[in-house]
Amino acid sequence: YFTLLQEKKSAFLGTIHKLDAKQDLVPYKLFADWMVTPRIGVEATWDRMEAATITSIDGHSDGDLTLDGPILTLFTKLPIETGAQRPIEFSAGAGIAYFQADFEATPWWHHGFAYPRPHYQIAEAAYADWVAAGSPPYPNNGYTRTITPDDAFGIVLTGDCAVEITPEWALDLYLRYTYVEVDVTYTLAYYGDPDRIEHATFPMSNVAGGIG
C-alpha cells in the first residue's frame, strides 16, 4: 500500500489538480536479499505505482500515470534487543530506483472529444459512437491530446522488521520512502502536427508499507 506525499495542487498540468493513487495489493512484488557480511546486505526488488490524473472541472480522469521498475537497496541489520520471546530483526537501508513511466490516456480525452462542463459523459458517448463507426482516422478535425512522461530515477529509504515464526519462516513488515518526480510533455496536435507543447512535473514521491 502506498500514499502519495503531494496529491493536490492548484494545477499540475492544465486542469489536472489531483493525483489519485491506485492501489495494487496483489503480492507479486518479490525481492531478493544477499548478505555481503553478517550485518550488511543488498536487496533487489521490483515495484509498480499508478495514479489517476483527476481534473478540477468535474473530477474525471484524463488518464493514468504508471511507474514500473527495479529498486536496489544497501541495508544494514540493526543491533536492537527487544527482549521478546521470538527473535526480532530490524534493518534500515538506502538505495536508488529506476522507473519506466507510461501514461495511458482516457481514450475520449486523447482523441479530443469535447464536452459541455461538467457533463463529460457526453464526450464518452461521442467517443463510443466514433468507435462504433469503425474508428475512422482523425475525428474532430484531427485534434489529439497526448501526455508523454520521461523515465525517472528515484531515491529510496527503507525500514524493516522481521519477526521469526519458525527457524525457516519470518513475518516481515516494512516501510519505504521513495522520492521521485516525473517530467511530462503535453502535446496538442492537429492531424499529427504539434500545435502546442507544454512541460510539467508530476510529484510521485510516496511512502509505502508492506507485509511479507
Side-chain angles (χ1 to χ4, degrees):
Y1 181 90
F2 77 101
T3 179
L4 294 171
L5 296 179
Q6 185 180 1
E7 293 183 334
K8 297 185 72 174
K9 189 179 178 181
S10 57
F12 291 114
L13 173 65
T15 60
I16 298 173
H17 79 123
K18 182 182 178 183
L19 299 174
D20 190 6
K22 302 182 73 172
Q23 304 299 332
D24 180 6
L25 303 181
V26 179
Y28 65 88
K29 299 165 186 172
L30 302 179
F31 65 90
D33 289 355
W34 174 47
M35 299 308 300
V36 183
T37 74
R39 288 203 176 275
I40 305 289
V42 177
E43 179 173 295
T45 187
W46 192 275
D47 199 22
R48 174 185 173 88
M49 62 193 75
E50 185 175 358
T53 54
I54 307 300
T55 71
S56 58
I57 298 174
D58 48 24
H60 76 265
S61 173
D62 286 345
D64 295 339
L65 176 65
T66 302
L67 300 184
D68 196 46
I71 300 175
L72 189 65
T73 307
L74 180 69
F75 67 91
T76 180
K77 294 183 177 180
L78 304 175
I80 299 176
E81 296 293 337
T82 65
Q85 289 183 342
R86 295 183 181 276
I88 301 177
E89 197 168 65
F90 297 91
S91 64
I96 59 172
Y98 176 73
F99 294 113
Q100 292 182 311
D102 183 58
F103 186 81
E104 185 177 350
T106 302
W108 62 261
W109 176 85
H110 168 68
H111 287 287
F113 285 92
Y115 52 93
R117 302 176 184 180
H119 304 295
Y120 71 88
Q121 291 89 350
I122 295 176
E124 290 181 319
Y127 172 78
D129 291 341
W130 173 67
V131 172
S135 303
Y138 292 121
N140 301 320
N141 297 316
Y143 179 92
T144 58
R145 295 174 284 203
T146 305
I147 291 177
T148 305
D150 295 337
D151 295 343
F153 284 95
I155 298 173
V156 175
L157 300 175
T158 64
D160 190 273
C161 171
V163 182
E164 184 179 294
I165 300 173
T166 74
E168 294 82 18
W169 291 90
L171 178 66
D172 189 76
L173 306 172
Y174 74 87
L175 283 175
R176 182 175 65 220
Y177 163 76
T178 303
Y179 171 82
V180 59
E181 294 189 336
V182 181
D183 294 329
V184 303
T185 301
Y186 166 79
T187 305
L188 170 64
Y190 290 93
Y191 298 103
D193 295 324
D195 181 72
R196 187 171 82 241
I197 296 176
E198 298 179 23
H199 300 280
T201 299
F202 287 149
M204 291 289 285
S205 297
N206 64 89
V207 173
I211 184 170

